[in-house]
Each structure stands twice: as C-alpha cells, then as structure tokens.
Amino acid sequence: MGPVLLQPRSDCSPLRNQPCKRKQVMTISNIGVLGAGTMGSGIAQVFARQGFQVQLVDNQPSRLQHAVLEIQQSLDKEVAQGPLSATQRDQAAHNIHTAPQMDRFVDCDLVIEAVSEEEPTKIALFQSLDRICPDSTILASNTSAISLTRMAAATNRSDRFMGMHFMNPVAQMDLVELIRALQTSDATYQALHELVQRIQKTPVTVKDYPGFVSNRILMPMINEAVYTLYEGVASSTDIDAVMKLGMNHPMGPLELADFIGLDTCLVIMNVLHDGFRDSKYRPCPLLQQMVDAGYYGKKSGRGFYSYS
Ligand SMILES: NC(=O)c1ccc[n+]([C@@H]2O[C@H](COP(=O)([O-])OP(=O)(O)OC[C@H]3O[C@@H](n4cnc5c(N)ncnc54)[C@H](O)[C@@H]3O)[C@@H](O)[C@H]2O)c1
C-alpha cells in the first residue's frame, strides 16, 4: 500500500475566519510509536501489517524485547488462522524498527504516544518530540482520558496535534476514537481520519471532553463493579458472570479492568472526577488500594485475578 497523501481543505485553520497561509500536503508513511507496552506494541503491529515503516521506541529495553515477541506471536497466529501469508508476516515484522531513544523519530511523519497514563510524563515527552521532530510531523496521543487541548498547548504545533484512541487489543478491535483538541486543524484531522481508514479501522470523531465517549461510559461501569466487590455484594467471578451471562458482555468488568490495567483505570477515574467535579466519578477505595499494592492486573501478574 502507498502513503496517505492529502490536500487539506482551504479552511484548514482551527479558527474558521483565518484562511490557511500556505497549502500543505501531508504524507504519512513513516510512523513513530512511543511506548512499547500493551497498546504501543499493538499499534506498531497494525501499522507494520499495512505496509507502513514503524519506529517503536521505549526507554525500557525489556519492554521492547517483550513487544517484539508479542508481535511475532500475534502475526504467527494470523498465519496459522489464514488471513496472513508467511511472506506478509515476515514483511510486517521487517517493517518494525525498535530503539530506546526518541531521536529515532527524526524522519517520522506521525508520532503516536502510548506511554503510561500520566499527564506530566506525556507533556514532557511531547515537548521533547516537538524539539526532535520536523515541523511537519503530526503528534498524536493514545491517551484514554487526558485533555488533548492541554497537551497540544504544551507544544509549538498545537494545530498538528490530535488524539488517536485505539482499543485493546489493537489488532482485533475495529474502533479508533479520534479526538480533536480545540487547536487541531482540519488538515490534521482529515489526514488522521484517512489514515485510520487505510489501516482498515473505523474512526469515530469525538470532542475533547474527559474520558471522551468510550471511557466516560465504560469506566464508571468498571468502578461500580469494584464497589460491588468492595461492599461484599458478590465475588469477582460472580460479578463478572452476571455481566457476561446476563448482559451478554464478552468479558466481565473486573476481568476487563485487569486486562486494561488497574493503574490506567484509576487514572481515568481521577480524570473524570477532576474534569467533571462530580462525586459520582469518585474512584473506589479498593481500586486505589490495588494500585498502591502494585496489583495492576494482567501485566503485573495479579489484579482481581491471578495470572501466571
Ligand atoms: N491498556 C488499555 O486497555 C488501553 C486502551 C486504550 C488506551 N490506553 C492508553 O494507552 C497508553 C498506554 O497504555 P498501556 O496500557 O499500553 O500502558 P503500559 O503500561 O502497558 O505501557 C506503557 C509503556 O510506556 C513506556 N514508557 C513510560 N515512560 C516512558 C518514557 N519516558 N519514554 C519511553 N517509554 C516510556 C513503558 O516502559 C511501557 O512500556 C495510556 O495512555 C493508556 O491510557 C490503554
């Protein structure tokens, strides 16, 4: 497949009354992914699978090794199940280049940040990316809930900044929430909208509000399930069974929380609580305690369930 090539509309300024000073063409073929954890590895795999060159960066070499292994296993599975040939698998693996430092992003057209859900960390990294990357590079965040408008404002390219919220597991989930910061230009929005379609996923556009749409609805349900456990109403397995067998959910809320990461769930609840200033979003004390104990869910080996 070829690169995404777009001519922005003439109203590309975020402020509609200010016409674009210069016509630009946004070409996206080399993608940077910052953070090789649960989401970053999946995002890298999806782009590499579609023929993009991917620079995958993480400051922990062990996470990079783990990501490469996971991607390889996932691609092997696709070959075994049929949709991918062995040659396509090898090409996809070949498209991913790993490195521990962000200077690898110097030639990237787009960098998608997928590091831990901590606003000061993300802002500091975006300020470094702003210095490292050429002016034309679009910066995107896979944040689950943090304000894109605030992160965009911390850079000198706020019009080329947007939220790209992939779902977990990235290779299997069809949706990408596209979140426009207040400053995002139409050209940036259109380039990423087109890009999401090119990787065979469905973009849904939402405004920059705490939790966007997905986590504003999902996370209070998970938090309520944790409260139900905390108050001793039922066991973890029974709470999950009610939602799976009674509501036809593919996973129970506690199992899903373990899968997402309890640290991420807690941060999202705090973002909702602070953002809306409404006590209905207060995180359950048990969720806070689990995170304090280092029980992050599947990725740490223990959450509401144990993982060997
Ligand atoms: N887990 C989910 O289900 C899910 C779903 C959608 C979005 N998200 C969002 O995606 C982002 C990543 O989540 P995750 O679950 O992949 O987290 P994770 O903990 O699995 O991975 C985070 C990675 O970031 C790396 N990292 C941290 N600081 C870094 C730095 N300074 N430089 C380079 N790398 C650094 C860590 O080494 C780690 O590998 C978060 O913003 C989260 O809210 C998560």
Side-chain angles (χ1 to χ4, degrees):
M1 66 147 293
V4 176
L5 197 66
L6 284 170
Q7 289 284 356
R9 291 203 318 239
S10 58
D11 60 343
C12 68
S13 166
L15 305 172
R16 293 280 162 127
N17 295 333
Q18 293 181 0
C20 231
K21 290 200 178 77
R22 60 189 159 86
K23 280 253 181 194
Q24 339 148 258
V25 174
M26 290 189 178
T27 308
I28 298 177
S29 59
N30 192 8
I31 310 244
V33 178
L34 178 59
T38 310
M39 297 305 290
S41 62
I43 294 167
Q45 177 185 336
V46 163
F47 280 103
R49 168 105 162 61
Q50 295 294 329
F52 291 84
Q53 291 301 305
V54 178
Q55 315 300 324
L56 179 60
V57 170
D58 198 295
N59 61 358
Q60 291 189 44
S62 62
R63 297 304 295 254
L64 284 172
Q65 285 161 10
H66 185 70
V68 167
L69 205 68
E70 285 219 316
I71 292 168
Q72 193 65 51
Q73 283 170 353
S74 175
L75 291 172
D76 284 345
K77 207 163 145 192
E78 282 197 76
V79 173
Q81 289 170 349
L84 204 66
S85 72
T87 313
Q88 287 171 317
R89 172 198 59 198
D90 296 345
Q91 185 57 56
H94 194 69
N95 289 342
I96 299 176
H97 315 275
T98 60
Q101 275 155 0
M102 293 198 293
D103 52 11
R104 179 58 71 90
F105 295 140
V106 73
D107 292 324
C108 285
D109 309 305
L110 163 70
V111 177
I112 304 170
E113 166 279 314
V115 306
S116 324
E117 187 76 344
E118 296 154 8
E119 185 167 337
T121 305
K122 286 183 191 287
I123 285 186
L125 288 171
F126 277 122
Q127 286 171 335
S128 301
L129 287 171
D130 206 17
R131 287 191 294 272
I132 292 165
C133 298
D135 274 358
S136 56
T137 306
I138 297 175
L139 301 181
S141 175
N142 185 51
T143 178
S144 298
I146 296 170
S147 164
L148 279 313
T149 301
R150 267 202 309 274
M151 287 193 276
T155 72
N156 290 315
R157 61 183 80 206
S158 56
D159 58 322
R160 277 151 288 138
F161 195 104
M162 212 169 122
M164 283 184 98
H165 185 212
F166 289 82
M167 304 292 132
N168 185 11
V170 184
Q172 280 136 56
M173 302 299 278
D174 200 28
L175 175 73
V176 180
E177 259 186 324
L178 285 179
I179 306 109
R180 291 186 71 146
L182 196 64
Q183 310 93 319
T184 306
S185 69
D186 286 349
T188 299
Y189 167 70
Q190 284 168 19
L192 296 194
H193 192 272
E194 166 85 356
L195 183 69
V196 170
Q197 291 172 324
R198 294 296 289 266
I199 56 167
Q200 324 274 319
K201 297 208 180 283
T202 306
V204 170
T205 308
V206 308
K207 286 186 184 160
D208 185 18
Y209 253 63
F212 320 127
V213 171
S214 54
N215 280 317
R216 181 172 178 174
I217 297 171
L218 172 68
M219 221 31 85
M221 184 194 72
I222 286 178
N223 194 47
E224 204 58 33
V226 184
Y227 263 113
T228 312
L229 180 69
Y230 178 63
E231 290 166 8
V233 179
S235 67
S236 311
T237 45
D238 284 347
I239 291 166
D240 280 348
V242 167
M243 298 307 284
K244 282 192 282 190
L245 305 179
M247 316 297 162
N248 219 11
H249 288 200
M251 291 173 96
L254 299 174
E255 192 186 359
L256 180 57
D258 275 0
F259 189 64
I260 292 169
L262 302 192
D263 51 338
T264 302
C265 293
L266 179 62
V267 173
I268 297 169
M269 284 311 299
N270 280 324
V271 168
L272 291 172
H273 195 210
D274 295 346
F276 289 113
R277 295 172 203 273
D278 188 330
S279 65
K280 75 178 176 181
Y281 296 113
R282 72 210 178 284
C284 177
L286 177 60
L287 181 62
Q288 177 71 62
Q289 272 189 322
M290 302 274 288
V291 173
D292 291 344
Y295 301 158
Y296 296 155
K298 201 166 173 223
K299 66 184 167 189
S300 71
R302 180 166 174 179
F304 294 109
Y305 299 92
S306 286
Y307 306 85
S308 55

